[in-house]
Amino acid sequence: MIVVKTREEIELMRESALIVSKTLGMLAKEAKPGVTTNQLDTLAEDFIRAQGALPGFKGLYDCPSTLLCSVNEAVVHGLPTDRPLEEGDIVSIDCGALKNEFYGDHAYTFEIGEIDPETKKLLDTTKESLYVGIREYKLGNRVGDVGYAIQKFCEDRGYGVVRELVGHGLGKKMHEDPEMPNYGKRGRGKKFLEGQVVALEPMINMGTHRVKQLKDGWTIVTADGKPSAHFEHDVAIIDGKPEILSTFAYVYEALGIKSDEENEFRQHALVL
């Protein structure tokens, strides 16, 4: 069952989402060669608690960490380790926060130093596909409309779209209805409702769409060992249109990137 939110609840969710966004912005300055993902995990937990929130992932489904850090061929759900990040790596950092009984859930794939052009193209395509999907998340459309748009955009460019892992509804539970696949057929699936909030998160592979799970019971990697990228936003339907509750603006501020990509999905300017 889809749980729609009131305007007041959506604002509480925006607060949780922005705590995650600020956490990713802080990590953007720290994710560099020589740093371990365990170190990033400790920084993230301390930061989230300092905001008066709880780490959303830690303890959920017995997750042992605040962050899920997926390096290179890892798609999602990578557990933090003591392996130092290296020049040319990419790392998807997925993070959650719980405040005022509502979750925020947000992810960004970071470049560690200089990365090769083909991997850069994968990251750019995956992030752009997120916004392609968000444009279809509006009143009158259905789950399949979003999935179809993301799938077509990525497959037309030669990438593999992961099937086994999907986006999801978000609220007082980390995972609510509906599931939001990054593939599908137009006009299929549940119809979107005013006040509905979802986490959209394309997971796109440079090669095959097939994946496998490692023995740690968490980390999902590409079947062919090629890189994978992952970007995620929390999005509400307000007045029939998609409204992004999270933001990459804190990441961009840390990295010196100028972007207006989120402007079309905000009814009011974001104040940093």
Side-chain angles (χ1 to χ4, degrees), residues 29-44:
K29 300 176 183 178
E30 305 295 336
K32 52 193 175 186
V35 174
T36 72
T37 48
N38 264 331
Q39 290 173 314
L40 298 179
D41 188 67
T42 298
L43 290 171

Side-chain angles (χ1 to χ4, degrees), residues 228-246:
S228 181
H230 172 220
F231 291 87
E232 179 177 19
H233 269 314
D234 301 339
V235 194
I237 293 180
I238 299 177
D239 295 330
K241 298 180 293 185
E243 169 89 3
I244 296 178
L245 305 182
S246 50

Side-chain angles (χ1 to χ4, degrees), residues 54-110:
L54 296 173
F57 294 170
K58 196 166 189 176
L60 186 70
Y61 313 126
D62 295 324
C63 179
S65 56
T66 293
L67 301 177
L68 293 171
C69 301
S70 305
V71 181
N72 296 333
E73 74 276 10
V75 181
V76 286
H77 300 171
L79 296 180
T81 72
D82 288 325
R83 170 197 179 275
L85 294 169
E86 299 177 0
E87 182 86 13
D89 283 345
I90 58 172
V91 55
S92 163
I93 298 182
D94 196 355
C95 181
L98 175 63
K99 188 172 183 181
N100 299 317
E101 300 185 310
F102 286 98
Y103 282 96
D105 179 19
H106 187 30
Y108 190 91
T109 300
F110 292 93

Side-chain angles (χ1 to χ4, degrees), residues 80-229:
T81 72
D82 288 325
R83 170 197 179 275
L85 294 169
E86 299 177 0
E87 182 86 13
D89 283 345
I90 58 172
V91 55
S92 163
I93 298 182
D94 196 355
C95 181
L98 175 63
K99 188 172 183 181
N100 299 317
E101 300 185 310
F102 286 98
Y103 282 96
D105 179 19
H106 187 30
Y108 190 91
T109 300
F110 292 93
E111 304 171 23
I112 306 303
E114 294 292 327
I115 65 173
D116 70 79
E118 286 304 308
T119 303
K120 174 68 173 171
K121 185 178 176 183
L122 169 68
L123 267 59
D124 290 344
T125 300
T126 304
K127 182 154 65 70
E128 191 172 349
S129 79
L130 172 58
Y131 296 111
V132 167
I134 290 172
R135 289 187 188 101
E136 298 299 319
Y137 181 62
K138 57 189 177 182
L139 212 58
N141 274 6
R142 296 177 180 269
V143 168
D145 296 312
V146 172
Y148 172 84
I150 293 171
Q151 181 181 14
K152 179 169 174 42
F153 183 84
C154 294
E155 289 185 347
D156 283 353
R157 287 154 179 79
Y159 297 110
V161 178
V162 174
R163 306 295 201 272
E164 290 84 352
L165 302 144
V166 298
H168 51 89
L170 188 70
K172 290 189 174 181
K173 295 181 179 179
M174 176 64 75
H175 297 103
E176 296 185 352
D177 284 338
E179 289 190 344
M180 295 295 300
N182 298 303
Y183 60 93
K185 295 184 178 179
R186 288 200 176 278
R188 301 285 182 87
K190 293 181 178 179
K191 186 176 287 190
F192 299 134
L193 306 172
E194 178 73 15
Q196 184 175 344
V197 181
V198 299
L200 295 181
E201 49 180 324
M203 291 155 272
I204 309 301
N205 301 342
M206 186 177 287
T208 179
H209 68 82
R210 294 184 174 85
V211 297
K212 59 184 180 181
Q213 188 175 56
L214 298 185
K215 292 180 180 179
D216 64 12
W218 282 89
T219 309
I220 305 294
V221 300
T222 58
D224 58 9
K226 293 183 179 181
S228 181

